[in-house]
Amino acid sequence: MAKYIFVTGGVTSSLGKGIIAASLAKLLQSRGLRVTIQKFDPYINVDPGTLNPYEHGECFVTDDGAETDLDLGHYERFLNIPTSQANNVTTGRIYQTVINKERQGDYLGKTVQVVPHITDEIKRRMMLLGEGDRFDIVITELGGTVGDIESLPFVEAVRQIQWELPEEDCIVVHLTLIPYLAAAKELKTKPTQHSVRMLSQEGVHPNVIVCRTEHPLNDEIKKKIALFCNVKTDAVIEAMDASTIYEVPLKMLDEGLDRIVLKKLHIENRSEPELEKWKDFLSKLKNPTNQVSIGLIGKYVELQDAYKSILEAFIHAGAMNRCKVNIVDVHSEFLTQENAAEHLKGLDGVLVAPGFGSRGVEGKIEAVRYAREQGMPFFGICLGMQMAVIEYGRNVLGWKDAHSTEMEQETSHPVIDLMHDQKDITSKGGTMRLGSYACNLESNSLASKIYGSSVIHERHRHRWEFNNTYLNDYKKAGLVLSGINPENGLVEIVEIPSHPFFIGVQFHPELKSTVENPHPLFVHFVKAALDRKQAMSENSHIQTVSASIA
Ligand code: GLN
């Protein structure tokens, strides 16, 4: 039977519960245990698919088409195993299930209540991944902060599970903040004491306390936290700020988080953690021999979390190339034909980001034009690929009004159009083309060279597509449609062979990049940017030399 670890958060949000949960999972996995992580979010949306990135950051999509919280991205990047529909549950999803059952008459005659009906459904879902001998350990991260009204039913469910299971089968790890008061030059434990007390009032007693802190915790402070939070001193774990999230598992290893967890779960005699690949990645990441600047052209660039997986995929790909990737945020809303060169000329490559709606699309099209005309490495993802198709239509094929019907219904050249099976869909939640689909690659194309294979599987999240009515026009004009869905002929990849590196993909490769398997498209894009940078500097060297000879 699986054992359960719950991770709660206290004092403030944004403490990095997802990273701590993923790091603990990584350490347990590295000792040969089968581990999965799930996230329970207290909001009422059935999933985060309907949330604006400004509200909740990127929406992460799983192979089986779930639109989920971005923390699932961290779980996959750390563990290198896919998550699924079951790994992210919201209050909305719980209520939807209970209300549907009520309408079907499953509770006939009974008053349906938060306790026990909602809490029972939460418990059922919390235990689900532990069934069927697939995992030794299921880690559940509870979204929100202890004390929030909306997370009460989740905490109550944890209380009941803890009561029902043997002590050694279920533990609670509480992540909290130890603030430093500069004026007093002191670390303060009181907020942590309060948050643990609040959790205890709700009936849940944490077994391990992980303390986020900017300064090291000395023994005296650890003892104080232990005493007032009712745990032994070895169960107080310091979590100092790290220079990269990928360092956190090693820091947690040094602090003994995995050891105390294994002790509490009565899992004995595990082998030492096998983290060679991880350490190798980290050493490459920390010791780059080169650097490149990549422009991220998007409309949510002011919010880091909006493009989380893209940024992480660049970190993986950078390490692989031993190259630091500096991301230069370029707000697509303010990019115009007049100022494109000024914003983009110093870059080594351009990535046009995914997105929805018309805000900022003209700027994205300008970025594509600039990269295409200047021979600058270009990578377009989802909307970014669609913008590449529009740009080619307008500036190479000469269709000045080429557009996507998402933004311009009346265009006479709808080169990007709503997918056929989307035409009758009116409801917004969970209705896009979602999840993993196969794609056949044209032999000798850039894509097939990069992937080193003729069939790939990538994840999707979109409603519009390349309009196949224009297939031949584009082909004749030199655009190679190098990736095609074998079932319905949808164009998934476009590229320009005469350009040093120009590729647009309808899917989201960033969602499949992990520490152990950096995504090949990102790896080759960074490599292309590096090549360009080197070529440019050699050129300018030659120019300087010839100028000085003259
Ligand atoms: N808005 C576009 C579509 O729905 C692109 C979506 C995306 O970039 N994820 O097709």
Side-chain angles (χ1 to χ4, degrees):
M1 207 196 102
K3 292 179 186 270
Y4 295 85
I5 301 172
F6 291 94
V7 180
T8 56
V11 184
T12 72
S13 57
S14 307
L15 286 184
K17 263 191 313 243
I19 301 297
I20 291 293
S23 299
L24 174 58
K26 184 74 216 168
L27 293 178
L28 298 173
Q29 185 194 51
S30 75
R31 287 175 179 272
L33 292 159
R34 298 167 303 160
V35 189
T36 188
I37 323 182
Q38 54 184 351
K39 171 123 195 233
F40 277 61
D41 275 312
Y43 52 77
I44 313 241
N45 303 63
V46 171
D47 60 44
T50 52
L51 290 170
N52 184 313
Y54 286 126
E55 292 273 321
H56 206 67
E58 155 194 286
C59 174
F60 188 81
V61 182
T62 59
D63 278 334
D64 64 354
E67 297 181 283
T68 73
D69 185 83
L70 57 78
D71 272 335
L72 273 78
H74 291 310
Y75 307 163
E76 291 200 3
R77 288 187 280 272
F78 276 54
L79 293 184
N80 202 30
I81 53 171
T83 53
S84 68
Q85 294 275 356
N87 292 70
N88 191 195
V89 177
T90 68
T91 292
R93 173 91 59 199
I94 300 281
Y95 272 80
Q96 190 183 47
T97 310
V98 171
I99 290 170
N100 285 345
K101 278 167 82 176
E102 187 277 332
R103 291 290 81 185
Q104 277 164 24
D106 289 9
Y107 309 109
L108 224 47
K110 290 267 181 286
T111 309
V112 182
Q113 294 177 297
V114 173
V115 182
H117 301 99
I118 292 296
T119 47
D120 278 355
E121 178 58 17
I122 296 174
K123 278 161 62 186
R124 186 183 72 77
R125 289 186 183 254
M126 281 177 168
M127 312 289 285
L128 210 57
L129 288 170
E131 291 165 7
D133 193 33
R134 285 174 296 160
F135 299 105
D136 303 309
I137 294 184
V138 178
I139 300 182
T140 304
E141 179 193 346
L142 290 196
T145 309
V146 164
D148 293 348
I149 294 175
E150 53 181 16
S151 57
L152 275 175
F154 290 142
V155 177
E156 170 60 13
V158 174
R159 185 192 71 75
Q160 294 186 17
I161 292 175
Q162 216 178 9
W163 182 82
E164 283 162 14
L165 293 180
E167 244 173 77
E168 67 274 16
D169 284 352
C170 174
I171 63 165
V172 175
V173 175
H174 185 61
L175 175 65
T176 172
L177 175 72
I178 308 291
Y180 178 74
L181 287 193
K185 294 201 176 60
E186 262 184 82
L187 285 162
K188 290 294 182 191
T189 65
K190 194 73 83 190
T192 295
Q193 295 180 39
H194 281 301
S195 86
V196 170
R197 194 166 301 159
M198 193 150 4
L199 193 55
S200 300
Q201 273 165 11
E202 293 171 17
V204 170
H205 188 71
N207 306 82
V208 178
I209 307 209
V210 179
C211 306
R212 270 303 292 275
T213 171
E214 288 171 27
H215 299 273
L217 305 179
N218 59 30
D219 285 349
E220 202 187 324
I221 291 190
K222 280 194 177 176
K223 248 188 224 155
K224 191 172 170 188
I225 297 168
L227 177 67
F228 289 108
C229 299
N230 214 11
V231 295
K232 297 287 180 218
T233 321
D234 65 351
V236 177
I237 301 291
E238 167 192 298
M240 284 266 287
D241 295 353
S243 60
T244 149
I245 55 169
Y246 299 107
E247 206 168 42
V248 179
L250 299 182
K251 283 198 177 257
M252 291 299 99
L253 180 69
D254 288 344
E255 278 294 307
L257 176 61
D258 56 330
R259 285 196 303 274
I260 185 75
V261 161
L262 291 174
K263 185 166 132 192
K264 303 252 175 225
L265 293 175
H266 294 198
I267 300 177
E268 272 119 40
N269 304 324
R270 295 310 304 184
S271 52
E272 282 305 301
E274 156 64 60
L275 287 162
E276 286 323 304
K277 274 191 184 165
W278 192 273
K279 287 182 185 163
D280 179 50
F281 160 78
L282 207 55
S283 121
K284 285 186 184 142
L285 179 65
K286 287 181 150 186
N287 302 296
T289 51
N290 276 304
Q291 53 177 314
V292 289
S293 297
I294 303 282
L296 173 64
I297 323 294
K299 65 171 168 174
Y300 305 114
V301 286
E302 56 281 51
L303 187 83
Q304 282 285 308
D305 278 357
Y307 301 114
K308 195 80 203 162
S309 293
I310 291 178
L311 299 179
E312 298 304 323
F314 273 126
I315 292 176
H316 310 154
M320 194 80 171
N321 282 290
R322 290 205 157 237
C323 171
K324 183 173 186 321
V325 180
N326 301 308
I327 298 296
V328 180
D329 296 328
V330 181
H331 207 305
S332 55
E333 220 180 330
F334 308 116
L335 202 61
T336 61
Q337 190 166 7
E338 290 69 43
N339 68 20
E342 180 195 327
H343 284 291
L344 308 176
K345 71 172 182 297
L347 301 171
D348 306 308
V350 155
L351 182 140
V352 176
F356 295 84
S358 56
R359 185 167 69 92
V361 296
E362 291 302 325
K364 287 184 170 173
I365 294 168
E366 277 312 316
V368 181
R369 184 187 57 75
Y370 184 84
R372 185 180 55 77
E373 290 178 352
Q374 299 299 315
M376 181 180 274
F378 167 83
F379 188 9
I381 298 184
C382 208
L383 186 75
M385 171 266 201
Q386 298 176 354
M387 294 303 114
V389 171
I390 293 171
E391 194 278 330
Y392 210 82
R394 288 186 189 177
N395 300 325
V396 178
L397 284 149
W399 303 326
K400 290 292 163 227
D401 72 337
H403 220 316
S404 162
T405 53
E406 178 178 5
M407 292 94 198
E408 180 53 66
Q409 306 253 336
E410 305 307 324
T411 170
S412 58
H413 291 93
V415 293
I416 302 292
D417 201 6
L418 198 58
M419 275 180 271
H420 186 68
D421 51 9
Q422 286 281 333
K423 299 228 152 114
D424 298 323
I425 294 176
T426 51
S427 126
K428 294 278 181 269
T431 55
M432 283 187 238
R433 179 177 183 232
L434 290 168
S436 181
Y437 288 91
C439 169
N440 288 349
L441 302 182
E442 187 170 307
S443 53
N444 290 324
S445 61
L446 177 63
S448 77
K449 278 181 212 138
I450 289 176
Y451 278 94
S453 127
S454 55
V455 186
I456 56 163
H457 291 83
E458 292 283 5
R459 299 182 192 171
H460 297 251
R461 182 173 187 251
H462 63 117
R463 293 185 204 280
W464 276 264
E465 58 161 320
F466 180 94
N467 183 348
N468 275 338
T469 319
Y470 297 98
L471 201 80
N472 285 330
D473 298 299
Y474 274 94
K475 274 189 188 169
K476 271 189 231 147
L479 193 74
V480 169
L481 312 164
S482 58
I484 304 286
N485 178 297
E487 272 164 31
N488 49 25
L490 289 185
V491 172
E492 312 279 33
I493 308 178
V494 302
E495 51 186 81
I496 303 176
S498 55
H499 186 284
F501 188 101
F502 188 105
I503 194 158
V505 296
Q506 183 59 80
F507 46 80
H508 291 267
E510 72 276 19
L511 303 178
K512 282 179 77 168
S513 186
T514 71
V515 166
E516 282 172 32
N517 283 318
H519 198 288
L521 283 171
F522 281 86
V523 174
H524 282 81
F525 176 53
V526 170
K527 169 89 178 41
L530 201 53
D531 289 347
R532 174 180 164 92
K533 185 180 168 184
Q534 275 156 2
M536 297 290 271
S537 82
E538 273 161 31
N539 258 350
S540 70
H541 179 68
I542 292 167
Q543 273 166 19
T544 332
V545 173
S546 52
S548 60
I549 291 169

CSV table of all heavy atoms in Angstrom, one decimal, residues 4 20-21 113 127 135 170 208 215 219 254 281 290 318 399 417 425 437-439 458 467 469 498:
chain,number,residue,atom,x,y,z
A,4,TYR,N,1.4,8.2,2.4
A,4,TYR,CA,0.9,9.5,2.0
A,4,TYR,C,1.7,10.6,2.7
A,4,TYR,O,1.9,10.6,3.9
A,4,TYR,CB,-0.6,9.7,2.2
A,4,TYR,CG,-1.4,8.8,1.3
A,4,TYR,CD1,-1.6,7.5,1.7
A,4,TYR,CD2,-1.8,9.2,0.1
A,4,TYR,CE1,-2.3,6.6,0.9
A,4,TYR,CE2,-2.5,8.3,-0.8
A,4,TYR,CZ,-2.8,7.0,-0.3
A,4,TYR,OH,-3.5,6.2,-1.2
A,20,ILE,N,9.4,22.6,-2.9
A,20,ILE,CA,9.7,21.7,-1.8
A,20,ILE,C,9.2,20.3,-2.0
A,20,ILE,O,9.8,19.3,-1.8
A,20,ILE,CB,9.3,22.3,-0.5
A,20,ILE,CG1,10.1,23.6,-0.1
A,20,ILE,CG2,9.4,21.3,0.7
A,20,ILE,CD1,11.6,23.4,0.2
A,21,ALA,N,7.9,20.3,-2.4
A,21,ALA,CA,7.2,19.0,-2.6
A,21,ALA,C,8.0,18.2,-3.7
A,21,ALA,O,8.3,17.0,-3.6
A,21,ALA,CB,5.8,19.2,-3.0
A,113,GLN,N,-23.9,17.5,2.6
A,113,GLN,CA,-23.1,18.5,3.4
A,113,GLN,C,-21.6,18.5,3.1
A,113,GLN,O,-21.1,17.6,2.6
A,113,GLN,CB,-23.4,18.2,4.9
A,113,GLN,CG,-24.8,18.4,5.3
A,113,GLN,CD,-25.1,18.0,6.7
A,113,GLN,OE1,-24.9,16.9,7.1
A,113,GLN,NE2,-25.5,19.0,7.5
A,127,MET,N,-6.6,9.8,-2.1
A,127,MET,CA,-6.1,8.4,-2.0
A,127,MET,C,-5.9,7.7,-3.3
A,127,MET,O,-5.2,6.7,-3.5
A,127,MET,CB,-7.0,7.5,-1.1
A,127,MET,CG,-7.5,8.1,0.2
A,127,MET,SD,-6.2,8.2,1.4
A,127,MET,CE,-6.0,6.5,1.9
A,135,PHE,N,2.4,3.3,-7.0
A,135,PHE,CA,3.4,4.2,-6.3
A,135,PHE,C,3.6,3.8,-4.9
A,135,PHE,O,2.7,3.3,-4.3
A,135,PHE,CB,2.9,5.7,-6.3
A,135,PHE,CG,2.7,6.2,-7.7
A,135,PHE,CD1,1.4,6.4,-8.3
A,135,PHE,CD2,3.8,6.6,-8.5
A,135,PHE,CE1,1.3,6.9,-9.6
A,135,PHE,CE2,3.6,7.1,-9.8
A,135,PHE,CZ,2.4,7.2,-10.3
A,170,CYS,N,1.2,8.0,7.0
A,170,CYS,CA,0.7,9.3,6.6
A,170,CYS,C,1.4,10.4,7.4
A,170,CYS,O,1.3,10.4,8.7
A,170,CYS,CB,-0.8,9.4,6.8
A,170,CYS,SG,-1.5,11.0,6.5
A,208,VAL,N,6.8,17.3,10.2
A,208,VAL,CA,8.0,18.0,9.8
A,208,VAL,C,7.8,19.4,9.5
A,208,VAL,O,6.7,19.7,8.9
A,208,VAL,CB,8.6,17.2,8.6
A,208,VAL,CG1,9.9,17.9,8.1
A,208,VAL,CG2,8.9,15.8,8.9
A,215,HIS,N,18.4,33.6,6.1
A,215,HIS,CA,19.6,33.4,6.9
A,215,HIS,C,19.6,32.1,7.5
A,215,HIS,O,18.5,31.6,7.9
A,215,HIS,CB,19.7,34.5,8.0
A,215,HIS,CG,19.7,35.9,7.4
A,215,HIS,ND1,20.9,36.5,7.0
A,215,HIS,CD2,18.7,36.8,7.1
A,215,HIS,CE1,20.6,37.7,6.5
A,215,HIS,NE2,19.3,37.9,6.6
A,219,ASP,N,21.1,26.4,16.0
A,219,ASP,CA,20.5,25.4,16.8
A,219,ASP,C,19.4,25.9,17.8
A,219,ASP,O,18.4,25.3,18.0
A,219,ASP,CB,21.6,24.6,17.6
A,219,ASP,CG,22.3,23.7,16.7
A,219,ASP,OD1,21.9,23.5,15.5
A,219,ASP,OD2,23.4,23.2,17.1
A,254,ASP,N,21.1,17.8,2.1
A,254,ASP,CA,22.0,18.2,3.1
A,254,ASP,C,21.3,18.4,4.5
A,254,ASP,O,21.9,18.1,5.5
A,254,ASP,CB,22.7,19.5,2.8
A,254,ASP,CG,23.7,19.3,1.6
A,254,ASP,OD1,24.1,18.2,1.4
A,254,ASP,OD2,24.1,20.4,1.0
A,281,PHE,N,23.8,18.0,-14.3
A,281,PHE,CA,23.0,19.0,-14.9
A,281,PHE,C,23.3,20.4,-14.2
A,281,PHE,O,23.6,21.4,-14.8
A,281,PHE,CB,21.5,18.7,-14.8
A,281,PHE,CG,20.6,19.9,-14.9
A,281,PHE,CD1,20.3,20.5,-16.1
A,281,PHE,CD2,20.0,20.4,-13.8
A,281,PHE,CE1,19.5,21.6,-16.2
A,281,PHE,CE2,19.2,21.5,-13.9
A,281,PHE,CZ,18.9,22.1,-15.1
A,290,ASN,N,29.5,29.9,-22.3
A,290,ASN,CA,29.0,30.9,-23.2
A,290,ASN,C,27.7,31.5,-22.7
A,290,ASN,O,27.1,31.0,-21.8
A,290,ASN,CB,28.6,30.2,-24.5
A,290,ASN,CG,29.8,30.0,-25.4
A,290,ASN,OD1,30.5,30.9,-25.7
A,290,ASN,ND2,30.1,28.7,-25.7
A,318,GLY,N,19.9,25.4,-22.0
A,318,GLY,CA,21.1,26.2,-21.8
A,318,GLY,C,22.2,25.3,-21.2
A,318,GLY,O,23.3,25.2,-21.7
A,399,TRP,N,-0.3,38.5,-49.4
A,399,TRP,CA,-1.7,38.6,-49.0
A,399,TRP,C,-1.8,39.6,-47.8
A,399,TRP,O,-1.6,39.1,-46.7
A,399,TRP,CB,-2.3,37.3,-48.6
A,399,TRP,CG,-2.3,36.3,-49.7
A,399,TRP,CD1,-2.4,36.5,-51.1
A,399,TRP,CD2,-2.1,34.8,-49.5
A,399,TRP,NE1,-2.3,35.3,-51.7
A,399,TRP,CE2,-2.1,34.2,-50.8
A,399,TRP,CE3,-2.0,34.0,-48.4
A,399,TRP,CZ2,-2.0,32.9,-51.0
A,399,TRP,CZ3,-1.8,32.6,-48.6
A,399,TRP,CH2,-1.8,32.1,-49.9
A,417,ASP,N,-7.4,29.2,-39.2
A,417,ASP,CA,-8.9,29.1,-39.0
A,417,ASP,C,-9.2,28.2,-37.9
A,417,ASP,O,-8.5,27.3,-37.5
A,417,ASP,CB,-9.5,28.6,-40.4
A,417,ASP,CG,-11.0,29.1,-40.4
A,417,ASP,OD1,-11.4,29.8,-39.5
A,417,ASP,OD2,-11.6,28.6,-41.4
A,425,ILE,N,-18.6,24.4,-30.8
A,425,ILE,CA,-18.4,24.4,-29.4
A,425,ILE,C,-18.6,25.8,-28.9
A,425,ILE,O,-18.0,26.8,-29.4
A,425,ILE,CB,-16.9,23.9,-29.1
A,425,ILE,CG1,-16.8,22.5,-29.4
A,425,ILE,CG2,-16.6,24.2,-27.6
A,425,ILE,CD1,-15.4,21.9,-29.2
A,437,TYR,N,-0.8,14.4,-29.0
A,437,TYR,CA,-1.2,13.8,-30.3
A,437,TYR,C,0.1,13.5,-31.1
A,437,TYR,O,1.1,14.1,-30.9
A,437,TYR,CB,-2.0,14.9,-31.1
A,437,TYR,CG,-3.4,15.1,-30.6
A,437,TYR,CD1,-3.6,16.1,-29.7
A,437,TYR,CD2,-4.4,14.3,-31.1
A,437,TYR,CE1,-4.9,16.4,-29.2
A,437,TYR,CE2,-5.7,14.6,-30.6
A,437,TYR,CZ,-6.0,15.6,-29.7
A,437,TYR,OH,-7.2,15.8,-29.2
A,438,ALA,N,-0.1,12.5,-32.0
A,438,ALA,CA,1.0,12.1,-32.8
A,438,ALA,C,1.3,13.1,-33.9
A,438,ALA,O,0.3,13.8,-34.3
A,438,ALA,CB,0.7,10.7,-33.4
A,439,CYS,N,2.5,13.1,-34.4
A,439,CYS,CA,2.8,14.0,-35.5
A,439,CYS,C,3.9,13.3,-36.3
A,439,CYS,O,4.9,12.8,-35.8
A,439,CYS,CB,3.3,15.3,-34.9
A,439,CYS,SG,4.1,16.4,-36.1
A,458,GLU,N,3.4,15.2,-29.1
A,458,GLU,CA,3.6,16.4,-28.3
A,458,GLU,C,2.2,16.9,-27.8
A,458,GLU,O,1.2,16.5,-28.3
A,458,GLU,CB,4.2,17.5,-29.2
A,458,GLU,CG,5.6,17.3,-29.6
A,458,GLU,CD,6.6,17.6,-28.5
A,458,GLU,OE1,6.2,18.0,-27.3
A,458,GLU,OE2,7.8,17.5,-28.7
A,467,ASN,N,-4.8,26.6,-42.0
A,467,ASN,CA,-5.9,26.4,-42.9
A,467,ASN,C,-5.4,25.6,-44.1
A,467,ASN,O,-4.7,26.2,-45.0
A,467,ASN,CB,-6.6,27.7,-43.2
A,467,ASN,CG,-7.8,27.5,-44.1
A,467,ASN,OD1,-8.0,26.4,-44.6
A,467,ASN,ND2,-8.6,28.6,-44.3
A,469,THR,N,-6.5,24.8,-46.8
A,469,THR,CA,-6.9,25.4,-48.2
A,469,THR,C,-5.7,26.0,-48.8
A,469,THR,O,-5.6,26.1,-50.0
A,469,THR,CB,-8.0,26.5,-48.0
A,469,THR,OG1,-8.9,26.0,-47.0
A,469,THR,CG2,-8.7,26.8,-49.3
A,498,SER,N,15.6,27.7,-46.2
A,498,SER,CA,16.6,28.6,-46.6
A,498,SER,C,17.1,29.5,-45.5
A,498,SER,O,18.1,30.2,-45.6
A,498,SER,CB,16.1,29.4,-47.8
A,498,SER,OG,15.0,30.1,-47.4
